[in-house]
Amino acid sequence: MTKYSHKTNAISTMLIVFASTLSTAAIAENNAQTLVKPKVQPELSPKKDKAAGKQKNSASEQAAMEVIEVVGRRPTPISSQSTGSYTLNQQLIEDYQFGNGNLNDILGLLPGVQYSEESYSADQASNIRPAEVSLSGSDGYQSGYFINGMNNNSRLSTGNASLDKNLLQDVSGHSQASFINLQLLEEIEVYDSNVPAKYGQFSGGVVSVTTKQATDAPSWSLSYRQTSDSFVTYNQFYAPDFSGEETIYQPSFSKQDMSASFSTPIGENAGLLGQLQMLKSSETKLQLGVLKPQKQTNYNGLIKYHHDISANDELEVTAIYAPYQGQYFDTYALNSNFDIDGGSQSILLDWNNSNPWADIETSLSWHQSLNSKTAPSYWFNWVNLKGKDWGSYDGSQASAEGGYGSIDKTQQNITLKQDYLLNEQSLSWGETQTSFGGEIKQQTTEFDRLVDAVLYNGAVVNPNVDCAGYTLDCVETVLAKPISELERDLGRPLDLTNLDDLLLYQNNVLQTGQYFQTRQVSPKASTKVDLWAAALYAEQTFNWKSLNATLGLRYDYNDFIQQHNIAPRFRAAYDLFGSGNSVLVLGVNRYYEADLSHHKLNEAVQPSYKEVRRAYQNQPQQWQREVSSNGYRTVYQDTKTPFSDELTLAFRQSLFGGTVEAKWLARSSQDQINRVKGVNSFGEAILFAENSGSSEYQRYSLSWMASFASQHVEFNISHVKNETDKASFDGETVVSDAQQNEKINFNYDESELVYLQQIVPDPNKPGQTKVINDLITQHDLDLAKQDYNRPFIANLSWGGGWGNWRLSAYARYSSKQDVAFATGKYLSLRQSTSICEGCVTSRTEYPLYIKGEQPAFWLLSGSIKYDLEIARNHRLTFSFDGENLTNSRTYQVNPYATGTELGRRFWLGVAYQH
């Protein structure tokens, strides 16, 4: 480092020229990007660096004394500032575009990121929806997603489709309103800790992406990628009691990824970029032994206009259209076709102004998203007997049929934001810089159940039933021959106590009579939530010697919960030896979750109620609403916004041309919403929402990332611990009387209860185990952290280019964890008392899950690309990218089941660029 001091503008200009000369020399010598910066660099907002740089290049306006340090170091994804961020540039995005190429697919490169177990299922080969991702121990919906600064979170869903897409009171959704594809992106910035105060309404992490810009010269491109079942290896596994008579069906599918783009300048100061990408899948699956197609389609359309209005003013207009549609059916239910429509459309106007005192960014955005389902309105759980015996396909006691009805959910946001970054101020002891801003948002969410959904359960078997016109929920016994003919052939009356006569009678039955005596009705309902929200933030950054510290504060308010949320943010980086090679980072922060409007939609949903009927002289009578119960209501009253307090400590060291980062991250989530059983003044069953829930998350991670002239390497290993407090759970759903008869102790929706089967030590037989089946809520099953809770995760990735070839590889290790396996089967609960006079004992079927351990596994993915110049400015690129190249097990098939796991798979593609 060389230090000069003079009072003339000429000397200041010479310093800039000298610095530029050193920069050029450093580039040539180190073959690395050179940064010219003050010794203590203030922390700037990511989108302001360009504008700030323009102001600092005016040498005549610089202070007389200036310290310049030239550092020859190529940037790595690990942040060089006090934020806990990782930046994935264009090269990394292109190298790790495996599989569907969704945004979430690439986030797993980073430390601490965990995928939903859904991402490893056999359905993933044909699925085009991105799997949910956990950042800093949170669920997917608790993280913030931004496209060019515009929020892309769906407030219609909490990512509630990891186990089942066919839901009763909701629509299978995703935490992101649109599924943005990597082909549209220029840069991805991921925050797992020390998140700046300009970001709010999250309690996990933040993912901020920047879409591509128009090029300086006209260009266009076309690309096509494809995979299919012939490109996939399916591995089949069998249960210990597998008879060998069944045949495991191997899915048949094809999936295409097609895109087209153009970019052109418009005059000297403007440019236009357009891009359309389509991902579609068609799959043939077995439904109760019959082949049927399932189709999914997702579009990503982008138009971006850029205009440099003046030397200091820049305008961008971005329009995004990203619809999604899936056509599904329930694998184990007859007549169960349902469609799901989702996605979003948005327009963003962004104006950047650089003036002598500050950089100002103003943005106005409109965003609309959809989450709807079209499905049959009746669901039947028939007893698995002749005529209704398709349940035998999977060994279930019941034969399911139908759907849960149609629901429409929509969201619309209009947001105005303004951010200020004031010029850096020099003081006698160092430098300081101020940033602040705010936003106003109007949000409308709607829920509309179009028709009543009716769930039939507790079928009664009666061979002599006379349906008396009830053709929907009652079937009569059908015989191949009348009894009189059988008796005539025998020459005597049938004697059902005789085994031969009984067998003859059973073989003569084509359909066994049965009818339903109970049903649950979810009435049609419509609700609309209008919400206004406002936010203000400010940050002050101080640079004193080797210390860079930022003190921030964020304020959020919305008229839904009418609560003033104040979140302090503090982060600091200390350069231990003044060289920039050894930096210690500390952070203490608070993050508040989003506006909770999805809870308001749940509150407005009409509660389900039961209807019963008795039979008189073998004839079902009229349905009557059960007097004692009307289902339950959900009440959110005086509910506070959940928040997370974060403490983080990190050490970064330059090593072997890259950066090593050791990080400890602790999150304490408080005021989490839990449900408390109760009744209101009218005697209705109520689930009151309270803020008694809490959870704790800790992560230790070690990372090393480096970028060289033609290669890059990323490595990280993380150990996590995630615990949920007992107060967050619903608790026991079944109570027993003195005679050990079981009864549900609250009026839950039947669709909300499941059986969880566990193998536990038998207290009466030392050294032996027994099987127990607990009836619990789906809410508790999810809260048990079956997902996103692998204690150890490790990643190793590498990419490099040689001439026309470019290669990349990515290996990921996931340690073992406890999970709950869905079996597709049902178990019955028989209530201890009859539900009405003349009714038989009530029996209800509930889905069965099995608790077990999922072993550790590791996966290797890779990509090869070859560029072929076919003419000047015309290029063809051939690509191969594969996942699970070693055909490793993912243990998605549990030890008690027979099924298929997804093994080796790959895509082939070709792209044309001009």
Side-chain angles (χ1 to χ4, degrees):
M1 181 184 69
T2 307
K3 183 176 179 181
Y4 295 91
S5 176
H6 205 279
K7 295 185 178 181
T8 65
N9 291 336
I11 296 299
S12 298
T13 303
M14 290 175 61
L15 289 173
I16 300 299
V17 173
F18 180 64
S20 300
T21 304
L22 289 178
S23 300
T24 304
I27 292 175
E29 180 178 351
N30 299 318
N31 196 19
Q33 178 177 327
T34 302
L35 306 177
V36 180
K37 63 178 184 178
K39 180 179 179 181
V40 181
Q41 182 184 17
E43 186 175 291
L44 303 179
S45 300
K47 296 185 69 175
K48 305 299 183 182
D49 291 343
K50 180 180 178 180
K54 290 180 180 179
Q55 295 178 2
K56 296 180 188 304
N57 286 339
S58 300
S60 60
E61 298 177 8
Q62 298 295 313
M65 180 178 294
E66 186 169 6
V67 178
I68 294 180
E69 180 181 1
V70 179
V71 180
R73 184 180 302 136
R74 199 174 186 88
T76 70
I78 298 175
S79 174
S80 61
Q81 301 176 339
S82 58
T83 57
S85 64
Y86 304 89
T87 303
L88 305 178
N89 60 22
Q90 181 81 60
Q91 190 61 67
L92 288 172
I93 294 173
E94 291 180 359
D95 282 350
Y96 301 122
Q97 188 173 322
F98 301 131
N100 293 336
N102 293 312
L103 168 63
N104 286 10
D105 294 343
I106 198 173
L107 300 182
L109 294 171
L110 304 177
V113 176
Q114 295 210 31
Y115 287 111
S116 165
E117 294 303 307
E118 176 190 20
S119 64
Y120 305 114
S121 70
D123 291 338
Q124 190 63 24
S126 58
N127 187 30
I128 66 176
R129 289 162 49 107
E132 292 286 357
V133 168
S134 173
L135 303 176
S136 301
S138 66
D139 289 327
Y141 74 96
Q142 294 173 318
S143 291
Y145 291 89
F146 298 86
I147 302 174
N148 294 339
M150 177 178 59
N151 189 269
N152 187 44
N153 282 83
S154 172
R155 304 307 180 195
L156 301 174
S157 170
T158 57
N160 51 7
S162 59
L163 296 176
D164 190 3
K165 296 182 177 65
N166 195 8
L167 306 174
L168 171 62
Q169 297 285 27
D170 207 349
V171 182
S172 169
H174 198 274
S175 59
Q176 298 169 45
S178 59
F179 308 147
I180 196 74
N181 192 273
L182 294 176
Q183 295 183 38
L184 277 65
L185 303 184
E186 181 74 28
E187 185 178 85
I188 304 170
E189 191 162 26
V190 182
Y191 295 87
D192 69 354
S193 58
N194 282 0
V195 185
K198 69 179 297 183
Y199 295 106
Q201 296 208 355
F202 70 92
S203 61
V206 167
V207 181
S208 179
V209 304
T210 304
T211 55
K212 292 180 178 179
Q213 296 278 5
T215 54
D216 295 333
S219 65
W220 56 277
S221 67
L222 297 170
S223 70
Y224 177 82
R225 299 167 66 238
Q226 178 174 341
T227 187
S228 67
D229 55 282
S230 60
F231 295 0
V232 175
T233 300
Y234 289 100
N235 301 315
Q236 299 174 348
F237 301 94
Y238 302 90
D241 58 352
F242 180 67
S243 64
E245 298 176 357
E246 304 173 27
T247 300
I248 301 179
Y249 173 71
Q250 179 170 308
S252 173
F253 78 95
S254 65
K255 187 158 55 174
Q256 296 86 33
D257 179 0
M258 296 163 278
S259 69
S261 68
F262 74 91
S263 178
T264 182
I266 303 176
E268 295 183 356
N269 300 317
L272 182 66
L273 171 71
Q275 190 158 2
L276 177 64
Q277 185 265 348
M278 180 180 70
L279 183 64
K280 63 183 297 186
S281 173
S282 178
E283 178 183 19
T284 302
K285 296 186 67 176
L286 276 174
Q287 183 189 46
L288 301 169
V290 178
L291 292 175
K292 293 183 61 176
Q294 282 193 161
K295 298 181 180 180
Q296 302 174 69
T297 308
N298 185 67
Y299 291 92
N300 273 242
L302 169 72
I303 296 179
K304 190 172 186 178
Y305 172 75
H306 172 87
H307 188 190
D308 289 329
I309 301 174
S310 68
N312 297 320
D313 292 278
E314 183 180 72
L315 175 67
E316 279 188 0
V317 181
T318 305
I320 299 176
Y321 178 63
Y324 166 84
Q325 184 182 57
Q327 300 174 352
Y328 305 100
F329 53 80
D330 193 305
T331 304
Y332 300 105
L334 200 64
N335 302 322
S336 59
N337 291 6
F338 63 98
D339 295 342
I340 292 178
D341 291 282
S344 70
Q345 50 193 337
S346 54
I347 299 176
L348 171 67
L349 283 74
D350 194 83
W351 171 51
N352 286 277
N353 169 255
S354 298
N355 59 59
W357 62 277
D359 296 331
I360 306 171
E361 181 181 8
T362 305
S363 64
L364 176 65
S365 64
W366 169 83
H367 176 90
Q368 185 181 64
S369 61
L370 171 71
N371 201 19
S372 70
K373 175 184 65 173
T374 304
S377 301
Y378 298 93
W379 178 267
F380 305 93
N381 269 321
W382 301 98
V383 178
N384 181 12
L385 293 173
K386 283 189 175 181
K388 301 288 184 181
D389 56 355
W390 57 85
S392 300
Y393 178 78
D394 64 323
S396 177
Q397 298 176 6
S399 294
E401 179 182 8
Y404 296 139
S406 300
I407 296 175
D408 284 343
K409 299 174 74 175
T410 59
Q411 171 186 336
Q412 179 173 285
N413 295 348
I414 298 177
T415 307
L416 175 65
K417 297 171 61 177
Q418 195 159 49
D419 300 307
Y420 295 83
L421 177 66
L422 304 186
N423 286 347
E424 180 183 317
Q425 300 295 316
S426 296
L427 304 175
S428 59
W429 49 268
E431 296 82 26
T432 183
Q433 190 168 39
T434 304
S435 64
F436 61 91
E439 68 176 87
I440 299 175
K441 178 178 69 175
Q442 193 279 329
Q443 176 177 291
T444 300
T445 53
E446 295 185 64
F447 174 97
D448 189 2
R449 177 182 281 283
L450 305 179
V451 295
D452 292 352
V454 184
L455 281 70
Y456 289 89
N457 219 325
V460 176
V461 179
N462 184 348
N464 300 316
V465 67
D466 177 7
C467 290
Y470 287 101
T471 58
L472 182 67
D473 48 28
C474 175
V475 293
E476 298 175 352
T477 298
V478 178
L479 302 176
K481 289 182 179 181
I483 298 297
S484 59
E485 290 189 20
L486 287 180
E487 292 181 336
R488 185 180 60 197
D489 294 341
L490 283 174
R492 59 177 175 80
L494 276 175
D495 180 8
L496 296 183
T497 61
N498 183 302
L499 292 179
D500 292 335
D501 286 12
L502 179 62
L503 180 61
L504 180 64
Y505 174 80
Q506 291 176 340
N507 292 334
N508 188 52
V509 175
L510 300 180
Q511 177 173 276
T512 302
Q514 56 178 301
Y515 69 95
F516 290 97
Q517 69 174 6
T518 65
R519 67 182 187 181
Q520 176 182 302
V521 180
S522 296
K524 63 180 180 179
S526 179
T527 185
K528 180 180 179 181
V529 179
D530 287 315
L531 177 148
W532 284 89
L536 297 171
Y537 79 89
E539 286 193 339
Q540 190 73 37
T541 299
F542 304 94
N543 289 280
W544 177 69
K545 295 184 178 180
S546 296
L547 177 66
N548 174 281
T550 300
L551 184 62
L553 197 68
R554 183 180 177 89
Y555 165 80
D556 283 279
Y557 174 83
N558 68 72
D559 60 358
F560 169 47
I561 58 174
Q562 298 182 354
Q563 182 181 352
H564 303 273
N565 296 325
I566 299 177
R569 310 278 177 92
F570 172 78
R571 59 187 183 274
Y574 183 73
D575 189 347
L576 295 179
F577 307 109
S579 62
N581 294 327
S582 305
V583 178
L584 189 65
V585 178
L586 172 69
V588 182
N589 302 277
R590 172 169 290 188
Y591 312 119
Y592 279 92
E593 284 191 15
D595 50 54
L596 307 181
S597 57
H598 60 279
H599 292 301
K600 184 66 175 179
L601 295 183
N602 293 337
E603 183 181 50
V605 173
Q606 294 296 312
S608 301
Y609 58 87
K610 282 187 177 181
E611 290 185 336
V612 299
R613 65 180 176 184
R614 65 185 182 92
Y616 177 71
Q617 294 182 347
N618 292 324
Q619 289 187 347
Q621 304 300 294
Q622 291 183 350
W623 287 102
Q624 295 180 341
R625 186 162 175 169
E626 191 177 19
V627 177
S628 61
S629 174
N630 288 327
Y632 70 82
R633 294 181 181 272
T634 305
V635 175
Y636 294 86
Q637 188 173 1
D638 300 326
T639 306
K640 296 181 289 185
T641 308
F643 65 90
S644 292
D645 285 334
E646 173 189 272
L647 180 61
T648 183
L649 183 65
F651 173 71
R652 297 172 186 151
Q653 174 67 47
S654 298
L655 184 67
F656 302 136
T659 303
V660 172
E661 179 186 65
K663 177 181 287 187
W664 170 69
L665 171 63
R667 290 271 184 92
S668 177
S669 298
Q670 303 297 324
D671 284 350
Q672 300 297 297
I673 294 177
N674 62 306
R675 311 189 304 181
V676 178
K677 297 183 286 287
V679 294
N680 61 12
S681 58
F682 300 101
E684 295 177 312
I686 301 292
L687 278 179
F688 292 98
E690 293 189 356
N691 292 101
S692 302
S694 63
S695 62
E696 302 289 334
Y697 170 83
Q698 285 196 63
R699 189 187 93 212
Y700 300 88
S701 60
L702 178 66
S703 309
W704 176 71
M705 301 183 184
S707 296
F708 306 101
S710 60
Q711 300 181 57
H712 55 81
V713 182
E714 297 82 28
F715 168 77
N716 58 76
I717 183 170
S718 302
H719 172 56
V720 301
K721 186 178 182 181
N722 211 336
E723 296 181 346
T724 303
D725 188 80
K726 290 183 179 180
S728 302
F729 291 82
D730 292 331
E732 294 182 350
T733 63
V734 175
V735 294
S736 301
D737 58 21
Q739 288 76 37
Q740 298 300 309
N741 295 316
E742 292 183 329
K743 183 178 180 181
I744 296 178
N745 69 343
F746 188 76
N747 193 31
Y748 289 105
D749 278 334
E750 290 179 359
S751 64
E752 193 174 4
L753 299 177
V754 298
Y755 269 109
L756 179 62
Q757 186 176 102
Q758 303 180 64
I759 300 176
V760 299
D762 190 338
N764 301 320
K765 299 178 180 178
Q768 298 186 30
T769 59
K770 67 175 182 177
V771 176
I772 60 171
N773 296 308
D774 290 324
L775 189 66
I776 65 174
T777 62
Q778 181 72 54
H779 174 265
D780 281 2
L781 189 67
D782 295 338
L783 272 187
K785 289 295 180 186
Q786 309 290 341
D787 223 349
Y788 314 123
N789 202 30
R790 293 187 179 269
F792 289 93
I793 295 289
N795 299 289
L796 175 61
S797 54
W798 163 86
W802 294 268
N804 295 341
W805 293 90
R806 181 133 201 113
L807 287 76
S808 61
Y810 167 45
R812 181 176 178 87
Y813 169 81
S814 300
S815 66
K816 65 181 181 180
Q817 69 167 359
D818 293 332
V819 295
F821 300 101
T823 66
K825 299 180 182 180
Y826 292 82
L827 288 182
S828 299
L829 174 71
R830 291 183 178 272
Q831 298 274 11
S832 59
T833 58
S834 61
I835 59 175
C836 65
E837 184 180 355
C839 294
V840 299
T841 301
S842 174
R843 184 189 68 191
T844 309
E845 310 287 342
Y846 297 106
L848 174 65
Y849 290 80
I850 297 179
K851 187 173 183 179
E853 183 180 82
Q854 212 161 24
F857 65 91
W858 69 279
L859 301 175
L860 174 66
S861 301
S863 172
I864 301 174
K865 295 182 176 69
Y866 179 76
D867 292 333
L868 177 64
E869 297 290 341
I870 56 178
R872 184 178 180 183
N873 297 327
H874 295 266
R875 184 176 72 219
L876 281 176
T877 300
F878 300 94
S879 64
F880 164 93
D881 63 84
E883 299 172 274
N884 192 8
L885 296 176
T886 58
N887 199 30
S888 300
R889 281 207 64 177
T890 57
Y891 299 96
Q892 296 298 300
V893 177
N894 68 74
Y896 316 103
T898 297
T900 301
E901 287 184 2
L902 186 59
R904 182 185 299 109
R905 55 202 183 273
F906 62 88
W907 292 68
L908 295 178
V910 60
Y912 171 76
Q913 292 178 307
H914 169 66

